[in-house]
Amino acid sequence: MLNLSGISKTFNQGTPNEKKALTGLSLHLKPGDFATIVGSNGAGKSTLFNAIAGSFYVDSGRIELGGKDITFAPEYRRASQIGRLFQDPLKGTAPHMTIEENMSLAYLRTTKGKTGFFSRIGKKDRAFFQEQLSQLEMGLENRMGQPVGLLSGGQRQALTLLMATMVPPQLLLLDEHTAALDPATAEKVLEITKQVVAKHQITTLMVTHNMHQALDLGNRTLMMDAGHIVFDVQGEERDSLTVEDLLQKFHQGAGKELDNDRILLS
Amino acid sequence: MLSMTALQTALEMGAIYSLVALALFISFSILNIADLSTDGCYTLGFAVGATVTLAGHPFLALPAAMAAGACSGFVTAFLQTKLGVESILAGIIVNTGLYTVNLAVMGWSSNLSIVKADTLLTIAKGLSDSTFWKDWYTLIVLSAILLVMALFVTFFFRTRLGLSIRATGDNVDMVRASSINPAFTITVGLCISNALTGLAGCLVGLVQKSCDINLGTGMVTIALASLIIGETLFGRGSIGVRIFGVVVGSCIYRLIMAVALKLEVPTECFKLVAALIVAVAIASPQGRKLIAIQRQKFLARKGAKEKC
């Protein structure tokens, strides 16, 4: 599904601030793969997501999604195939627009081509939104006319997740999307994430700082350091791994201890 | 306090200024862009409308003025989306350039009169002979045009494209991550906004029959005042309510000016009056907050004293 071959990116090239963010990273995800990513501070996890989503173009290498070369496709073009959630719950929704308007936007953009510029939301669509919202079990289905700015961070993140997956994308990028939420809400959003991804078999990449999550969620774990993948495990080998093993593996792959001030071992 | 004619004129001008306020509603409130090309664009609408009318096409004047406005909006949008010019600067640059363009359209003369030509309004006047129609036809025609435009804008902002434009001003990160090209939505928004400004310029020319190159000076301030009076009174409800607020705000602004005229404020001072109204209108929500805080403090202190 997703095919990255030897992608590299250097910021501020030729200046004292030069930063090699990605160094010849290759990765192949099969359809339906759900991979978690852990790594040190500045290992390039977010840079990797930005490269895939198209926030910048890579210096070298190729990015393919669903068999199409998207290396130089602009960000907004890729976005019709890629759903993305940020750590900041405020980033994914428009605060002064109502829940219904936000959902309409997400819905209408994914049905682009089938609908014209002047298409509007009808009764049937509204009922569909309501049904989707009720699955979150947050009571949002009765608040569709309220501006999204009134919702809590957890509710906004759940709504963003719903909007990103209402029409399933080819690839879902989750950039620590539960890190800014309180533990109970984070658990809830994570639960919804699991359900949605499993239901639509969406190919997913998720950055996390929680080592247990890294092993429990999905079917594959990737560890990053210095701009490339140092350890990649799946299948039976992954099932038998403990958090200690994982740290050990990182040491072997990167030649140093996992250095991350936000890591959660328990 | 106000005579019937003064009230009528205030409402006529209110209807015209509503269109400019509506334009700023799109650029300033929705897209979050301060579009300072409004002054020049307003004059451009007059220049194009009057020239087309003089050429013997009274009905073509309105669409021509709107198209000219849209072109001006396109240039402003192009400068900021493709060439990376700061949005305020883009407006100022276009505004400066438009001065020459406007002179050129007006045949290199600094004023233009359409007193003798058949205009949309003189044709409308001839539709009926009743005295009521003769007295009120200008206001009726202007209100009808305003109504059509307000309904169009209300409808438009509920379509997919309209929602995308609103989201662009609200959260540009989200828009980019939603497969919408922000450069495109900003361009469409500014084209529609400036088309409305151009239309307003054309209409004011038809009503006043003769205008000069400085017609649009200060327009941005006036429209902003109307917009903010409307938003202060009607809050940030649904799009329909907000657009209604813009129209009411424009009429209130014109009424205040009419009262100022009645109180024999010298015409030289009008710009100062306008600036004061804008400042008061913009400051009033903050002022209300300050008063509320002071009252809360006062009550808290009083409560503390009583306990003692």
Side-chain angles (χ1 to χ4, degrees), chain A residues 2-254:
Chain A
L2 177 72
N3 214 349
L4 309 174
S5 39
I7 57 168
S8 296
K9 178 73 189 177
T10 308
F11 291 110
N12 305 316
Q13 197 154 23
T15 71
N17 291 326
E18 187 174 286
K19 165 84 185 145
K20 288 195 169 76
L22 293 174
T23 51
L25 184 146
S26 296
L27 173 67
H28 177 75
L29 286 184
K30 292 189 292 293
D33 262 358
F34 183 169
T36 54
I37 305 179
V38 285
S40 330
N41 292 332
K45 303 180 296 284
S46 293
T47 314
L48 171 64
F49 276 21
N50 284 334
I52 297 173
S55 306
F56 53 74
Y57 297 138
V58 290
D59 297 337
S60 61
R62 243 169 97 86
I63 304 174
E64 279 171 42
L65 181 66
K68 260 192 227 137
D69 185 350
I70 57 162
T71 317
F72 291 106
E75 186 174 12
Y76 70 89
R77 283 261 162 77
R78 300 184 198 193
S80 60
Q81 306 300 332
I82 301 177
R84 192 176 187 191
L85 263 73
F86 299 92
Q87 185 180 343
D88 182 356
L90 306 184
K91 267 195 171 176
T93 43
H96 293 112
M97 292 166 71
T98 64
I99 297 181
E100 182 184 306
E101 285 168 344
N102 269 280
M103 292 188 79
S104 311
L105 203 58
Y107 183 63
L108 292 172
R109 63 110 178 155
T110 44
T111 51
K112 211 184 227 169
K114 287 170 233 160
T115 55
F117 278 132
F118 300 107
S119 53
R120 300 167 52 135
I121 288 298
K123 245 188 195 150
K124 228 170 81 189
D125 301 319
R126 205 163 284 139
F128 173 66
F129 295 162
Q130 206 146 23
E131 180 231 311
Q132 293 268 317
L133 279 171
S134 64
Q135 288 171 12
L136 296 179
E137 293 170 4
M138 288 176 162
L140 295 182
E141 63 275 16
N142 304 321
R143 299 172 61 185
M144 300 225 319
Q146 288 184 11
V148 169
L150 296 178
L151 305 187
S152 72
Q155 287 171 331
R156 275 181 84 161
Q157 202 66 313
L159 179 63
T160 312
L161 182 64
L162 193 64
M163 282 163 56
T165 55
M166 198 156 49
V167 178
Q170 289 195 33
L171 178 69
L172 184 61
L173 299 176
L174 305 171
D175 196 349
E176 296 183 60
H177 68 303
T178 60
L181 310 176
D182 66 81
T185 317
E187 194 55 43
K188 170 120 204 191
V189 171
L190 208 60
E191 199 49 48
I192 299 168
T193 310
K194 273 194 250 176
Q195 280 171 15
V196 170
V197 170
K199 185 173 157 200
H200 301 294
Q201 290 290 307
I202 307 169
T203 315
T204 305
L205 272 176
M206 172 173 151
V207 169
T208 178
H209 282 120
N210 184 321
M211 301 301 269
H212 274 290
Q213 264 181 23
L215 284 176
D216 291 349
L217 280 175
N219 64 341
R220 191 168 169 186
T221 301
L222 307 167
M223 297 192 99
M224 274 186 81
D225 189 62
H228 58 273
I229 292 167
V230 293
F231 181 59
D232 176 355
V233 63
Q234 52 188 319
E236 275 175 34
E237 190 191 352
R238 181 177 188 260
D239 296 339
S240 61
L241 276 183
T242 62
V243 171
E244 285 73 34
D245 296 335
L246 201 59
L247 293 174
Q248 189 63 36
K249 293 282 183 194
F250 182 86
H251 189 70
Q252 285 168 11

Side-chain angles (χ1 to χ4, degrees), chain B residues 167-249:
Chain B
T168 307
D170 210 7
N171 186 350
V172 81
D173 283 328
M174 172 214 182
V175 163
R176 247 182 246 119
S178 310
S179 81
I180 300 160
N181 183 0
F184 175 70
T185 49
I186 289 175
T187 307
V188 174
L190 284 184
C191 283
I192 295 178
S193 155
N194 282 284
L196 290 173
T197 310
L199 176 64
C202 174
L203 290 176
V204 86
L206 295 184
V207 173
Q208 297 185 349
K209 296 203 175 68
S210 138
C211 293
D212 74 349
I213 190 77
N214 294 318
L215 172 73
T217 312
M219 202 58 217
V220 110
T221 331
I222 296 169
L224 212 52
S226 313
L227 176 66
I228 288 163
I229 292 174
E231 295 208 330
T232 311
L233 289 178
F234 286 83
R236 294 189 65 124
S238 76
I239 279 287
V241 174
R242 287 168 73 181
I243 286 174
F244 182 67
V246 168
V247 174
V248 174

Side-chain angles (χ1 to χ4, degrees), chain B residues 103-291:
Chain B
L103 277 178
V105 174
M106 290 160 77
W108 303 109
S109 99
S110 66
N111 55 54
L112 205 56
S113 165
I114 50 169
V115 174
K116 288 183 191 130
D118 277 337
T119 71
L120 190 70
L121 285 177
T122 56
I123 292 170
K125 191 181 179 183
L127 284 179
S128 163
D129 279 331
S130 72
T131 36
F132 173 78
W133 177 252
K134 292 276 182 241
D135 285 344
W136 292 95
Y137 74 98
T138 312
L139 186 58
I140 294 170
V141 171
L142 292 178
S143 308
I145 294 174
L146 173 63
L147 186 70
V148 170
M149 289 303 152
L151 286 178
F152 164 74
V153 174
T154 314
F155 170 83
F156 177 73
F157 280 109
R158 288 188 190 138
T159 63
R160 191 184 100 204
L161 185 57
L163 284 174
S164 313
I165 292 175
R166 286 172 59 196
T168 307
D170 210 7
N171 186 350
V172 81
D173 283 328
M174 172 214 182
V175 163
R176 247 182 246 119
S178 310
S179 81
I180 300 160
N181 183 0
F184 175 70
T185 49
I186 289 175
T187 307
V188 174
L190 284 184
C191 283
I192 295 178
S193 155
N194 282 284
L196 290 173
T197 310
L199 176 64
C202 174
L203 290 176
V204 86
L206 295 184
V207 173
Q208 297 185 349
K209 296 203 175 68
S210 138
C211 293
D212 74 349
I213 190 77
N214 294 318
L215 172 73
T217 312
M219 202 58 217
V220 110
T221 331
I222 296 169
L224 212 52
S226 313
L227 176 66
I228 288 163
I229 292 174
E231 295 208 330
T232 311
L233 289 178
F234 286 83
R236 294 189 65 124
S238 76
I239 279 287
V241 174
R242 287 168 73 181
I243 286 174
F244 182 67
V246 168
V247 174
V248 174
S250 299
C251 292
I252 292 178
Y253 175 85
R254 287 317 303 183
L255 286 176
I256 297 175
M257 291 309 272
V259 170
L261 199 67
K262 181 85 180 167
L263 294 176
E264 288 175 10
V265 175
T267 34
E268 295 85 2
C269 300
F270 263 36
K271 294 275 177 206
L272 183 62
V273 174
L276 278 176
I277 296 175
V278 179
V280 170
I282 296 179
S284 65
Q286 191 62 28
R288 238 189 275 166
K289 252 188 239 166
L290 279 179
I291 291 172

Side-chain angles (χ1 to χ4, degrees), chain B residues 66-111:
Chain B
M66 289 179 80
C71 288
S72 150
F74 180 82
V75 175
T76 315
F78 184 79
L79 284 174
Q80 47 182 290
T81 56
K82 297 288 175 199
L83 303 182
V85 181
E86 199 61 46
S87 66
I88 289 187
L89 277 179
I92 295 175
I93 292 171
V94 169
N95 199 33
T96 310
L98 277 178
Y99 190 84
T100 310
V101 173
N102 292 340
L103 277 178
V105 174
M106 290 160 77
W108 303 109
S109 99
S110 66
N111 55 54

